Amino acid sequence: MRMRIHHGAVVLLATAALCGTARAQAVMLPSPASIAIKRIVVSATRTRQSSFNVPVSIYTVTGRQVSEANEQENLSESLKRVPGLDVQNQQNYATGIRITSRGFGAQTAFGVRNVKLLIDGVPATQPDGTGDSEIIDLGDVSRIEVLSGPFSVLYGNAAGGVIQVFSKDGPKQPTVSFGLLGGSYGSYRASLSYGGQAAFGRSGSFNYMMNASDFYSGGYRAHSSVRRQQFYGKYRVQVDADTSYTLLVDALNEPDSLDPLGLTAAQYHQNPRQAGTGADAFNARKTLRHVQFGLVFRHRINDDNSIRVMIYEATHSVLQYLPFTGSFAASGGGVVDLARKSGGIGGRWTHKTRLAGIPVTTIVGADFGYEDQHRKGYVNEFGTIGALRRNEQDIARNIAEYAEIEVKPAPRLVLDAGLRHSQEHFSVQDLFVTPKLTNDSGSISYAHTSFVAGATYHLTRETNLFADYGEGFETPTLDQLAYLPNGEAGLNAALVPATSQNYEAGIKSLIAGNTYFKLALFHIHTNNQIVVSSSTDGRTAYANEGQTARNGIDASIDSFLPHHIELYAAYSFLHARFENSAVAGKALPGVPQQRIYGEVDWHNPASGFYTTLDGQWQSRMYVDNANSAYAAGYFTAGAAGGFRQNFGPFGLNEFVRVNNIFNRTYVGAVVIAASNGEYYEPAPGRNFIVGMTAKYRF
């Protein structure tokens, strides 16, 4: 593989690595495992294990890394440190962020595809595979776990990976917190949280945590302002040592998110802050409301058996104005009015035993999900609703059964395997049939059984080797089925699921007691890759495009040095190409081949001062399957600092952050296959936030 790495990026990665290993002999931490290796995770094989011991690439972002001197408005702030993951902030709340994991999810006009999203174990991804990252409240996050590679197939329609967000539990003492920050482009965020614990009955407890926030930004670009109000609540009743019920409530209101659209190359070079063609004339924008409830029941039957049952339901409404009229009969309209109701139930049983003296853990479970949406389309009369052009009822159903097993046949060897059988059903009932329009009603069903297996070998107490294999399965979503390849409304029945074979091998090692190194090599072969066939004025149509091959490397190094200094670096290399198609040999669009992130963090417990310096470099991104144009690579850096003080029950935290210190002009995201050439979504220049949080413990 030919690898061309920017000189500054090499220095960034090498400095972090060399400093970590050079200083390693000078310090012996009393409990390095508690710092780096034994971070408990639950996402890999659905059992509580150290990330060091599972045969997968899994990364943890701590609550401190999510909240410290950050705006806490989307996942791009904190997930940039995860190798293999590319989170593109489009500076556009009408379309949201784009999350790409090892090249999966890049061909997405809005929302998140091919990556499963979970909040405290409850799906934020719909049964059809559409994920809503905007509903994730980052105000009180305990940790975020990112699973890449083959084992993600155990979570269903998620060949790219799994992102799980875990919220904080209520503290032992009832505590109220208030936060306020302001920044560039007229941005502000006010937040209020309250949590605590109380007795429940004779032997139980009640734990509660609630967070509400109000966010506004005028936007870096013209016609890109947003207002967002959010609430998240977690209420857990621990009936006794063995039984608990957890109620989760998630609500989001975005009354008016303006859509600046993409820019042509000429527009970008003329003025990257301007809005795209038609954004103002048609007042392109989105109104979103979302409410979700989840209930999780856990019960430990005995030392060897436990069950978990989860049920959830959500309502979601979107009114989106696209930058065209959509007046001709078959267009489907220029205003999308979508009302969705979804939900599901899932249960699993975990059993531990010994066979011939060998420890064996088995998990058996099943999931059911439903999604009913009423989609209407109207003519966009330059920012107001006109005549009806579309009316249909869309349904998605998912039923899946899965089984997992973990066996420890030898002291140094752990084997994991799993099966998941999924059945997906999609149907469309066309309620807008005229003499000039055909009936576009129809239905499609898919079924697939996925297999995954992995092994971990403990080479030494400080070094593990792992390898795994999995078979991915990605169905089209309702949005991908909504338009024909020519962009006209109608069920795109020609789309078929993409399947993949995913191989991975790697090493995890603790070096000299204070440096945690992880490296994974992978190869992924995909058939019937789902790609963008056209994207016109915000309407995206999809098709299958032969095969793709992805070969790559993900690596990270995390070093804890004396004097409370932490060095971290992550590197991703992805050689992703089309095969056996009209664009064979071309790179997958929207995917940088290389990305490097580095961070230096220092804090002084005596004074409460902390500071962070970070930098990121990534290579170019192509804008279409033919690689006819690209967004250039870039390097950007940021810095943050603050003070924490405690005065008895009071706590204060003041902070400041500067992003893009060198005021680089660059494209942060691209619109794949935009037929009008408006591929480019510019990132902000130098910008800042200043804020504070105040806490009181009762």
Side-chain angles (χ1 to χ4, degrees):
M1 293 183 292
R2 186 182 180 187
M3 300 172 57
R4 300 176 60 193
I5 307 177
H6 189 278
H7 176 70
V10 174
V11 173
L12 185 66
L13 180 63
T15 299
L18 292 174
C19 288
T21 54
R23 299 289 298 275
Q25 300 296 333
V27 60
M28 288 300 293
L29 300 183
S31 182
S34 66
I35 297 176
I37 288 187
K38 293 187 176 179
R39 291 174 175 167
I40 301 300
V41 298
V42 297
S43 56
T45 56
R46 292 188 174 92
T47 56
R48 295 181 64 85
Q49 298 183 72
S50 163
S51 64
F52 184 66
N53 294 324
V54 292
V56 298
S57 294
I58 190 164
Y59 300 87
T60 301
V61 180
T62 66
R64 178 187 63 81
Q65 291 161 345
V66 172
S67 63
E68 191 168 82
N70 277 327
E71 204 167 42
Q72 300 178 67
E73 268 311 302
N74 64 65
L75 291 170
S76 66
E77 301 169 12
S78 48
L79 293 188
K80 59 188 177 183
R81 66 192 336 266
V82 177
L85 205 65
D86 183 35
V87 186
Q88 298 178 23
N89 187 349
Q90 299 166 277
Q91 305 300 316
N92 185 342
Y93 280 85
T95 55
I97 60 174
R98 181 183 297 120
I99 300 177
T100 301
S101 178
R102 294 184 175 177
F104 290 96
Q107 305 257 2
T108 299
F110 60 90
V112 178
R113 311 288 190 276
N114 311 126
V115 178
K116 185 88 169 187
L117 302 177
L118 297 166
I119 308 172
D120 285 322
V122 175
T125 296
Q126 303 302 317
D128 72 335
T130 303
D132 298 314
S133 66
E134 59 227 8
I135 71 174
I136 297 175
D137 186 350
L138 299 176
D140 279 312
V141 169
S142 171
R143 70 187 187 280
I144 302 175
E145 295 173 4
V146 180
L147 167 66
S148 304
F151 268 80
S152 62
V153 304
L154 291 176
Y155 289 83
N157 206 349
V162 180
I163 298 175
Q164 295 211 54
V165 178
F166 296 91
S167 63
K168 294 179 181 177
D169 289 334
K172 291 183 178 180
Q173 291 179 266
T175 302
V176 61
S177 300
F178 172 74
L180 182 65
L181 64 81
S184 301
Y185 322 120
S187 301
Y188 74 82
R189 183 177 187 270
S191 62
L192 181 67
S193 66
Y194 179 65
Q197 300 179 15
F200 179 83
R202 293 183 178 180
S203 58
S205 64
F206 176 54
N207 189 291
Y208 54 95
M209 195 72 199
M210 298 168 281
N211 182 78
S213 62
D214 185 11
F215 170 75
Y216 171 81
S217 176
Y220 163 68
R221 296 176 57 198
H223 201 82
S224 65
S225 65
V226 60
R227 180 76 181 275
R228 164 182 283 186
Q229 291 129 2
Q230 199 153 11
F231 173 83
Y232 189 75
K234 181 170 73 171
Y235 313 90
R236 184 176 68 247
V237 175
Q238 191 76 41
V239 179
D240 53 37
D242 298 324
T243 306
S244 70
Y245 297 85
T246 304
L247 174 66
L248 306 167
V249 182
D250 191 354
L252 171 66
N253 178 43
E254 281 187 29
D256 211 16
S257 298
L258 302 187
D259 188 350
L261 307 177
L263 299 179
T264 65
Q267 289 171 327
Y268 168 68
H269 291 296
Q270 178 194 49
N271 177 13
R273 299 191 65 172
Q274 66 180 299
T277 305
D280 288 310
F282 292 95
N283 197 11
R285 65 193 190 277
K286 179 181 75 173
T287 298
L288 167 65
R289 289 180 176 84
H290 176 90
V291 178
Q292 179 166 309
F293 297 91
L295 181 64
V296 180
F297 167 72
R298 291 183 174 89
H299 179 63
R300 188 174 70 95
I301 301 171
N302 52 42
D303 290 342
D304 298 324
N305 295 276
S306 62
I307 59 174
R308 175 188 182 273
V309 179
M310 177 272 300
I311 185 169
Y312 72 99
E313 185 168 275
T315 58
H316 187 96
S317 64
V318 175
L319 183 64
Q320 187 150 16
Y321 291 75
L322 302 174
F324 57 89
T325 62
S327 57
F328 66 93
S331 75
V335 179
V336 177
D337 184 358
L338 181 67
R340 182 177 73 203
K341 186 175 182 180
S342 61
I345 185 170
R348 67 173 182 254
W349 169 53
T350 301
H351 175 65
K352 297 180 180 180
T353 188
R354 301 182 75 90
L355 297 176
I358 297 174
V360 178
T361 300
T362 56
I363 299 173
V364 179
D367 295 322
F368 167 75
Y370 75 91
E371 181 178 359
D372 296 346
Q373 64 181 31
H374 192 184
R375 179 191 293 266
K376 293 182 180 179
Y378 300 91
V379 174
N380 185 347
E381 298 285 3
F382 298 95
T384 61
I385 292 179
L388 183 68
R389 285 291 181 268
R390 187 175 193 179
N391 187 7
E392 66 185 42
Q393 195 75 32
D394 303 334
I395 294 174
R397 297 285 187 271
N398 166 266
I399 300 176
E401 308 86 28
Y402 60 88
E404 305 172 32
I405 186 170
E406 179 186 87
V407 182
K408 299 179 180 178
R412 292 191 175 191
L413 182 63
V414 182
L415 304 177
D416 290 272
L419 284 173
R420 183 181 179 99
H421 177 71
S422 298
Q423 301 175 71
E424 314 277 349
H425 176 75
F426 300 88
S427 67
V428 174
Q429 182 183 4
D430 192 347
L431 305 175
F432 188 70
V433 180
T434 71
K436 294 183 179 180
L437 293 176
T438 59
N439 190 330
D440 291 322
S441 299
S443 63
I444 303 174
S445 295
Y446 311 110
H448 186 80
T449 300
S450 298
F451 170 73
V452 64
T456 301
Y457 180 72
H458 299 275
L459 189 65
T460 68
R461 292 183 60 184
E462 294 80 23
T463 301
N464 283 351
L465 305 178
F466 70 93
D468 47 355
Y469 166 79
E471 299 168 345
F473 176 61
E474 310 160 52
T475 68
T477 67
L478 284 171
D479 292 321
Q480 291 171 337
L481 292 167
Y483 299 103
L484 299 170
N486 60 7
E488 293 185 359
L491 181 66
N492 190 358
L495 271 182
V496 299
T499 57
S500 59
Q501 295 79 46
N502 194 331
Y503 303 84
E504 180 183 46
I507 183 172
K508 303 176 184 180
S509 182
L510 178 66
I511 304 170
N514 73 331
T515 299
Y516 190 21
F517 174 72
K518 292 188 282 188
L519 173 71
L521 308 176
F522 60 88
H523 167 73
I524 306 169
H525 184 269
T526 303
N527 293 301
N528 297 313
Q529 178 78 44
I530 298 175
V531 300
V532 175
S533 62
S534 66
S535 181
T536 305
D537 295 327
R539 173 170 293 165
T540 305
Y542 295 84
N544 296 105
E545 186 65 63
Q547 302 173 354
T548 63
R550 298 172 173 88
N551 297 292
I553 301 169
D554 291 340
S556 70
I557 186 166
D558 199 356
S559 190
F560 299 85
L561 304 182
H563 309 297
H564 308 286
I565 297 174
E566 180 182 358
L567 300 181
Y568 177 81
Y571 173 68
S572 304
F573 174 80
L574 177 63
H575 187 268
R577 293 291 186 270
F578 288 103
E579 295 181 337
N580 299 328
S581 73
V583 289
K586 301 295 184 179
L588 265 65
V591 180
Q593 181 169 283
Q594 297 182 76
R595 192 173 69 85
I596 296 179
Y597 175 80
E599 181 179 289
V600 180
D601 180 85
W602 175 68
H603 69 277
N604 186 334
S607 66
F609 176 76
Y610 61 90
T611 185
T612 299
L613 296 173
D614 62 75
Q616 176 178 296
W617 173 84
Q618 74 171 41
S619 59
R620 66 176 57 175
M621 290 186 295
Y622 291 101
V623 301
D624 57 18
N625 299 335
N627 296 175
S628 63
Y630 63 85
Y634 63 86
F635 173 80
T636 185
F643 283 96
R644 297 189 188 91
Q645 308 96 46
N646 290 301
F647 309 97
F650 290 96
L652 292 174
N653 178 18
E654 307 91 3
F655 59 87
V656 61
R657 178 170 185 85
V658 181
N659 298 304
N660 196 359
I661 293 174
F662 303 113
N663 201 27
R664 305 284 190 183
T665 299
Y666 66 98
V667 173
V670 295
V671 181
I672 305 297
S675 59
N676 52 10
E678 294 182 340
Y679 303 119
Y680 307 103
E681 297 182 297
R686 185 185 300 113
N687 63 92
F688 71 92
I689 58 172
V690 177
M692 59 81 65
T693 59
K695 181 183 297 185
Y696 179 76
R697 294 179 296 276
F698 293 94

